[in-house]
């Protein structure tokens, strides 16, 4: 709430400040840039001028030196500012509460409404009626917003597309206004252009500016939606990466089997699903060191291959989006180059943390222990003395 | 001031991070090759191009399996203690890490189509890369972005966008940041569509990835689909949506643009990403739409570009060996069999494509 209060206070200050000092605070480079663009289009049609200026952010956009646009710029800067820190305007750096977002949307909509009031006042005849219609749509959006109605539920004016100008679709208009028709109506397509054309051109540019300010008013909602979707996507992607990097590796046929099972489980999900927290282990070959205490000395500690026939591994996702507390087990067949005990044996493997595997096997009534390379390494690092005793046996 | 972000998504093959550098540079050069209209913005002020890369998922997994299987094989040396069947399993694992079996291009497409764990992870990484870039845009100015996908990338992008933007749970608020234009070059999204991913009975012509002015009726404002009549993969993809695919209003507003042409570029790479973009039938409407300026390139300039392209890329004579090989593949691509159409992929990539 403190941030909201700060924002509201800053909003009032920014509005007043911008009104008093709009000309003095205008960015000369930006002003010049838009003015230059306009000057270069001296021979272009008013429609071409308007659409080009709109595309160049000169009508309600970042380069526009208009006082109302600058008020809007100030509002966004104020909302994004965090005391004691340099201004950062990237969406990822701006954190606003729902109330702050709502207040910002309303504040910008009010500036746009004020602006369209001036456009309507300066327009004449049918142009004024068009400006009035656009302003009425905006007032409707403002009322819906003030009442807390969510976007898209009530009037079309709540939707950004309603206000977005697309020069490729002049007939579909912006906010229901066909600006090309307005210009033709005033004789802007005829040569020489009528005196009324200049007035209409100014009105058209004003309407495009007003519409763009409304589009900008909705950008805090867009930013919030982007932030939320980006956060979900980042979590999901981090887990997928971990699934392939940190969970037990999968041979191609295991990937196929797990894909089939996974598909059956996420089939009813809408959207992109996260990775599973489990995996079936199927015909998975692995290597390790086998110890059979009662085997002949040369056969006691030998490299061995383990074929996991069927197993299952499961874990939970931690806050770091990596598998935690993973446990699994498999039915296995082991193979080692031994003479005093059978080279092949049946057994059971237990997996921990997707890394360590301990296998117990039966060789004609004799028990063998098989350690995965990772487990052996861990044990080695824990106690070399213990490993020596393990190797030699009693 | 936010620029229009244009993402580039690769197709199949050995693409590495940074794969798009040349494609994006050529794209800019193409745009800059047309004179700016009065008041028009140069490419650098208008666009920000970004690369999307998803092959590392395949590569990291394959490398890991290959290394583990290789270590097990080495442990036993040439003696080959394990039974043959197990040895073969291990060899399959080592094979996965190198070239061969799982690296063949046709199988890249099949893996994406049939291994849900793979395809879902790819969609996830594509989504994250898009969203990450969108969060880097300026607060207070509307975000506008488009995406250009090629070959297998068209299927990846289609499925990802459908998941991100179709109305319903998991897509809350997504109507507020939909892409402006979706551009599919050698579009195989219908060929590879999977109703288990898109939803029961949903294919690429029934998905939410279609153009409309209203965000609740389509995932993008414009949809462009490029197909070279000499590209067997585009022919196999056969992206020809039915009339009812888009609304009457969207049709009247020409929000779907089939960008069709028939040419064999000088490089003979009829399927190449860069080759698609280089053709005026593709890039002229593309630049007009992306710039939001229908007069960005005049009709006269467009005609001139076509003439220059034809002069620089004359169609080989019918007896030309490469042309005959291409035509043979296009005939195979037009066959009914689904697997046959997929199988053509590998030959095309091996013989004629690349970036």
């Amino acid at each position: 709430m403190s941030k909201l209060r700060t924002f509201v206070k800053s909003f009032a200050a920014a509005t007043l400040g911008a009104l008093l000092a709009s000309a003095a605070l205008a960015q000369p480079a930006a002003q010049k840039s838009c003015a230059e663009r306009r000057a270069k289009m001296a021979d272009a049609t008013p429609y071409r001028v308007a659409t080009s200026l709109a595309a160049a952010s000169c009508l309600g956009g970042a380069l526009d030196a208009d006082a109302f646009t600058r008020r809007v710029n100030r509002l966004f800067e104020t909302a994004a500012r965090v005391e004691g820190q340099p201004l950062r305007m990237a969406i990822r750096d701006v954190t606003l509460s729902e109330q702050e977002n709502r207040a910002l949307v309303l504040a910008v909509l009010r500036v746009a409404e004020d602006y369209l009031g001036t456009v309507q006042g300066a327009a004449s005849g049918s142009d004024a009626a068009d400006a009035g219609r656009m302003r009425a749509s905006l007032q409707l959006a403002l009322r819906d917003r003030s009442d807390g109605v969510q976007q898209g539920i009530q009037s079309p004016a709540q939707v950004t597309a309603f206000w977005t100008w697309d020069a490729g679709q002049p007939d579909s208009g912006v906010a229901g206004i066909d600006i090309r028709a307005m210009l033709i109506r005033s004789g802007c397509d005829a040569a020489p252009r009528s005196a009324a054309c200049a007035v209409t051109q100014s009105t058209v540019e004003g309407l495009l500016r007003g519409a763009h300010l409304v589009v900008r008013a909705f950008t805090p909602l867009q930013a919030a939606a982007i932030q939320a979707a980006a956060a979900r996507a980042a979590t999901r992607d981090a887990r997928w990466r971990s699934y392939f990097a940190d969970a037990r590796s999968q041979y191609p046929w295991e990937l196929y089997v797990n894909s089939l099972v996974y598909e059956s489980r996420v089939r009813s999900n809408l959207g992109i699903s996260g990775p599973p927290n489990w995996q079936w282990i199927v015909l998975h070959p692995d290597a390790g060191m086998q110890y059979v205490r009662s085997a002949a000395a040369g056969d006691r500690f030998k490299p061995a291959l383990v074929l996991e026939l069927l197993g299952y591994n499961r874990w939970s996702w931690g806050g770091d989006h990596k598998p935690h507390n993973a446990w699994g087990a498999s039915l296995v067949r082991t193979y080692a180059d031994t003479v005093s005990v059978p080279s092949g044996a049946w057994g059971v493997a237990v997996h921990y943390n997707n890394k360590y595997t301990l296998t117990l096997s039966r060789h004609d009534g004799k028990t063998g222990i098989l350690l995965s390379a990772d487990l052996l390494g861990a044990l080695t690092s824990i106690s070399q003395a213990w490993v020596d005793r393990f190797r030699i046996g009693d | 001031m936010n620029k229009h972000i244009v993402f580039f998504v690769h197709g199949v093959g050995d693409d590495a991070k940074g794969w798009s550098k040349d494609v994006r540079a050529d794209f800019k050069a193409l745009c800059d090759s047309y004179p700016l209209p009065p008041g028009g913005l140069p490419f650098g002020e208008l666009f920000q191009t970004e690369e999307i890369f998803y092959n590392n998922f395949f590569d990291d997994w394959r490398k890991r399996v290959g290394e583990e299987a290789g270590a097990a094989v080495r442990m036993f040396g040439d003696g080959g203690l394990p039974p043959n069947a197990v040895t073969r399993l291990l060899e399959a694992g080592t094979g996965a890490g190198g070239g061969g079996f799982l690296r063949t291009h046709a199988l890249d497409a099949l893996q994406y189509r049939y291994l849900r764990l793979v395809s879902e992870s790819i969609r996830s990484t594509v989504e994250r890369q898009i969203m990450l870039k969108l969060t880097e845009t300026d607060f207070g100015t509307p975000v506008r972005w488009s995406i250009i996908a090629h070959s297998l990338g068209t299927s990846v992008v289609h499925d990802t966008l459908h998941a991100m933007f179709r109305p319903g749970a998991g897509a809350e608020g997504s109507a507020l940041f939909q892409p402006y234009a979706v551009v599919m070059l050698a579009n195989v999204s219908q060929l590879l569509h999977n109703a288990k991913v898109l939803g029961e009975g949903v294919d690429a012509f029934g998905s939410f990835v279609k153009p409309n002015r209203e965000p609740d009726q389509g995932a993008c404002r414009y949809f462009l689909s490029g197909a070279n009549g000499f590209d067997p993969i585009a022919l196999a993809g056969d992206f020809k949506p039915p009339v009812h695919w888009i609304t009457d209003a969207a049709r009247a507003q020409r929000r779907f643009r089939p960008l069709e042409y028939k040419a064999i570029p000088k490089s003979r790479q009829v399927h190449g990403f860069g080759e698609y973009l280089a053709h005026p039938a593709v890039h002229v409407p593309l630049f007009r739409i992306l710039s939001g300026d229908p007069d960005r390139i005049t009709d006269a300039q467009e005609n001139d570009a076509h003439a220059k392209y034809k002069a620089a890329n004359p169609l080989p004579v019918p007896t030309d060996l490469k042309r005959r090989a291409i035509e043979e593949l296009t005939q195979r691509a037009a066959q009914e069999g689904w697997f046959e159409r997929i199988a053509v992929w590998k030959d095309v990539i091996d013989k004629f494509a690349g970036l």
Side-chain angles (χ1 to χ4, degrees):
Chain A
M1 285 304 285
S2 63
K3 189 158 184 178
L4 178 62
R5 279 197 296 275
T6 310
F7 169 71
V8 171
K9 274 197 283 184
S10 304
F11 165 55
T15 305
L16 186 63
L19 278 174
L20 291 174
S22 60
L25 290 172
Q27 299 162 5
Q31 243 180 343
K32 192 179 171 189
S33 173
C34 288
E36 268 183 354
R37 283 184 199 288
R38 188 184 287 279
K40 279 185 180 175
M41 293 186 284
D43 298 331
T45 64
Y47 181 77
R48 172 83 208 157
V49 173
T51 54
S52 296
L53 290 176
S57 295
C58 291
L59 296 178
L63 301 182
D64 189 6
D66 177 84
F68 286 90
T69 304
R70 292 180 46 71
R71 274 170 68 185
V72 167
N73 292 347
R74 285 280 185 101
L75 285 170
F76 282 114
E77 286 177 13
T78 305
R81 188 175 295 282
V82 177
E83 266 180 58
Q85 291 186 22
L87 180 62
R88 285 191 293 234
M89 289 297 284
I91 284 176
R92 66 169 176 222
D93 297 324
V94 180
T95 311
L96 299 179
S97 70
E98 203 175 315
Q99 291 160 307
E100 288 165 340
N101 246 344
R102 186 165 169 267
L104 181 57
V105 171
L106 286 172
V108 178
L109 284 176
R110 286 191 187 110
V111 175
E113 204 271 330
D114 286 350
Y115 176 71
L116 283 178
T118 66
V119 174
Q120 187 183 1
S124 58
S126 301
D127 292 353
D130 280 335
R133 276 201 296 135
M134 184 183 275
R135 193 179 175 200
S137 297
L138 174 51
Q139 285 164 342
L140 192 63
L142 248 172
R143 193 200 64 199
D144 287 351
R145 282 280 144 201
S146 303
D147 293 345
V149 177
Q150 292 302 301
Q151 177 156 3
I153 293 174
Q154 287 286 310
S155 64
Q158 293 280 315
V159 182
T160 306
F162 180 79
W163 300 96
T164 303
W165 167 240
D166 182 348
Q169 305 288 347
D171 299 337
S172 66
V174 53
I177 311 292
D178 186 341
I179 66 164
R180 178 170 271 177
M182 284 177 69
L183 291 166
I184 292 172
R185 195 170 61 210
S186 294
C188 290
D189 59 338
R193 285 172 199 142
S194 66
C197 174
V199 180
T200 297
Q201 182 176 355
S202 174
T203 304
V204 160
E205 289 178 14
L207 294 181
L208 288 179
R209 177 178 286 119
H212 192 66
L213 291 180
V214 179
V215 171
R216 291 185 67 189
F218 292 133
T219 58
L221 308 174
Q222 185 188 50
I226 287 173
Q227 281 179 337
R232 288 194 299 268
T235 297
R236 194 158 40 223
D237 189 49
R239 288 184 179 183
W240 271 115
R241 285 175 189 281
S242 183
Y243 180 79
F244 283 106
D246 301 321
R248 283 173 57 83
S249 65
Q250 297 180 55
Y251 281 79
W253 50 90
E254 292 180 287
L255 204 54
Y256 179 69
V257 169
N258 281 309
S259 286
L260 288 179
V261 179
Y262 175 71
E263 186 156 76
S264 70
R265 296 193 182 183
V266 299
R267 202 166 178 173
S268 58
N269 289 5
L270 291 171
I272 299 169
S273 299
N277 62 343
W278 49 262
Q279 59 187 154
W280 285 97
I281 301 162
V282 183
L283 296 177
H284 185 108
D286 207 346
M289 294 301 289
Q290 176 179 285
Y291 174 74
V292 183
R293 184 180 168 186
S294 49
D299 283 346
R300 276 191 193 153
F301 203 61
K302 302 277 289 188
L305 185 126
V306 183
L307 179 64
E308 298 180 53
L309 299 169
L310 185 66
Y312 185 73
N313 190 33
R314 193 180 178 87
W315 60 89
S316 52
W317 291 110
D320 56 357
H321 308 306
K322 290 182 177 296
H324 282 236
N325 201 26
W327 283 97
S330 306
L331 174 67
V332 305
R333 180 80 176 158
T334 67
Y335 303 93
D337 187 10
T338 54
V339 177
S340 60
V341 291
S343 58
W346 292 98
V348 173
V350 177
H351 309 291
Y352 175 63
N353 264 2
N354 293 316
K355 201 172 180 187
Y356 307 116
T357 299
L358 176 67
T359 303
L360 296 177
S361 54
R362 292 292 285 171
H363 305 251
D364 272 354
K366 296 164 186 167
T367 301
I369 299 172
L370 204 140
L371 308 175
S372 65
D374 280 334
L375 179 54
L376 189 63
L379 291 173
T380 306
S381 66
I382 290 167
S383 168
Q384 185 59 42
W386 193 93
V387 173
D388 286 345
R389 201 171 52 172
F390 183 81
R391 279 180 188 278
I392 296 162
D394 293 325
Chain B
M1 173 183 157
N2 284 333
K3 294 177 188 173
H4 187 153
I5 302 173
V6 182
F7 292 101
F8 287 75
V9 185
H10 61 80
V12 297
D14 296 323
D15 296 313
K17 205 164 177 60
W19 66 270
S20 68
K21 193 178 168 195
D22 290 344
V23 174
R24 289 186 293 144
D26 291 348
F27 185 68
K28 179 183 181 303
L30 263 175
C31 189
D32 288 341
S33 70
Y34 292 92
L36 269 184
L41 290 176
F43 186 95
E45 287 181 35
L46 204 53
F47 300 117
Q48 170 188 343
T49 60
E50 296 290 344
E51 166 180 309
I52 286 182
F53 176 59
Y54 56 80
N55 256 9
N56 53 338
F57 260 94
F58 288 126
D59 293 342
D60 293 349
W61 164 70
R62 287 190 280 230
K63 191 177 167 198
R64 187 177 170 206
V65 171
E67 283 175 356
E68 289 188 14
V73 169
R74 281 195 300 277
M75 191 174 222
F76 297 98
D78 295 332
L81 173 84
N84 283 342
V86 181
T87 306
R88 277 201 285 274
L89 291 178
L90 285 169
E91 284 170 356
T94 53
F101 179 66
L102 287 171
R103 300 300 305 273
T104 59
H105 302 98
L107 279 171
D108 263 350
L110 290 176
Q111 279 182 84
Y112 178 77
R113 174 63 178 72
Y114 286 108
L115 297 181
R116 183 70 182 263
L117 288 171
V118 170
S119 66
E120 203 75 6
S121 63
I122 286 175
R123 288 188 282 275
S124 174
T125 193
V126 170
E127 178 200 29
R128 185 191 63 84
Q129 289 173 61
I130 292 170
M131 294 313 304
L132 184 67
K133 284 296 165 197
L134 299 191
T135 62
E136 291 171 359
T137 56
D138 283 348
F139 180 70
T141 27
V143 176
R144 177 171 283 196
W145 64 282
S146 296
I147 194 159
I148 304 176
H150 173 240
S151 191
L152 176 62
T154 62
S155 193
V156 171
V157 165
H158 170 269
D159 299 348
T160 305
L161 296 183
H162 176 69
M164 286 173 73
F165 297 109
R166 91 275 160 281
E172 294 85 357
S174 64
L176 295 167
F177 58 87
Q178 290 177 346
Y180 181 69
V182 172
V183 185
M184 306 292 212
L185 304 176
N187 194 344
V188 293
S189 58
Q190 174 66 4
L191 178 70
L192 293 180
H193 87 272
N194 183 351
K196 290 174 184 168
V197 172
L198 300 175
E200 205 61 53
V202 178
D203 63 7
F205 302 143
S207 77
F208 197 62
V209 187
K210 54 188 171 186
N212 202 289
R213 181 174 186 242
E214 309 303 329
D216 59 348
Q217 292 185 52
C220 56
R221 307 292 77 82
Y222 290 93
F223 188 107
L224 292 76
S225 187
N228 177 4
F230 274 118
D231 176 6
I233 294 175
L235 292 176
D238 195 28
F239 190 85
K240 292 193 177 72
V243 176
H244 58 77
W245 180 51
I246 54 176
T247 63
D248 291 343
R251 202 174 307 111
Q253 292 162 7
R254 298 184 65 227
R255 293 190 179 269
F256 169 54
R257 306 283 177 94
L259 312 175
E260 291 169 356
Y261 67 95
K262 197 165 181 182
I264 297 179
K266 207 172 180 181
S267 66
R268 302 291 187 264
Q269 295 182 352
V270 288
H271 181 63
F273 198 159
E275 279 76 3
Y276 263 96
L277 290 173
H279 200 285
V282 172
H283 70 245
V284 169
L286 180 55
F287 287 136
R288 284 173 178 161
I289 285 174
L290 290 183
S291 65
D293 182 354
D295 301 323
R296 173 106 192 171
I297 298 170
T298 64
D299 290 347
Q301 288 165 346
E302 182 182 17
N303 293 337
D304 186 43
H306 276 280
K308 280 182 182 162
Y309 183 91
K310 273 184 187 164
N313 301 274
L315 197 62
V317 294
T319 51
D320 180 89
L321 290 179
K322 284 274 186 186
R323 179 173 171 177
R324 284 169 61 180
I326 290 169
E327 285 175 336
E328 185 189 313
L329 284 169
T330 57
Q331 284 166 9
R332 275 177 58 197
Q335 289 186 10
E336 288 296 311
W338 189 85
F339 275 101
E340 178 62 22
R341 288 199 281 158
I342 296 286
V344 165
W345 209 309
K346 181 180 182 321
D347 288 339
V348 174
I349 300 285
D350 287 348
K351 294 174 184 170
F352 301 105
L355 285 176

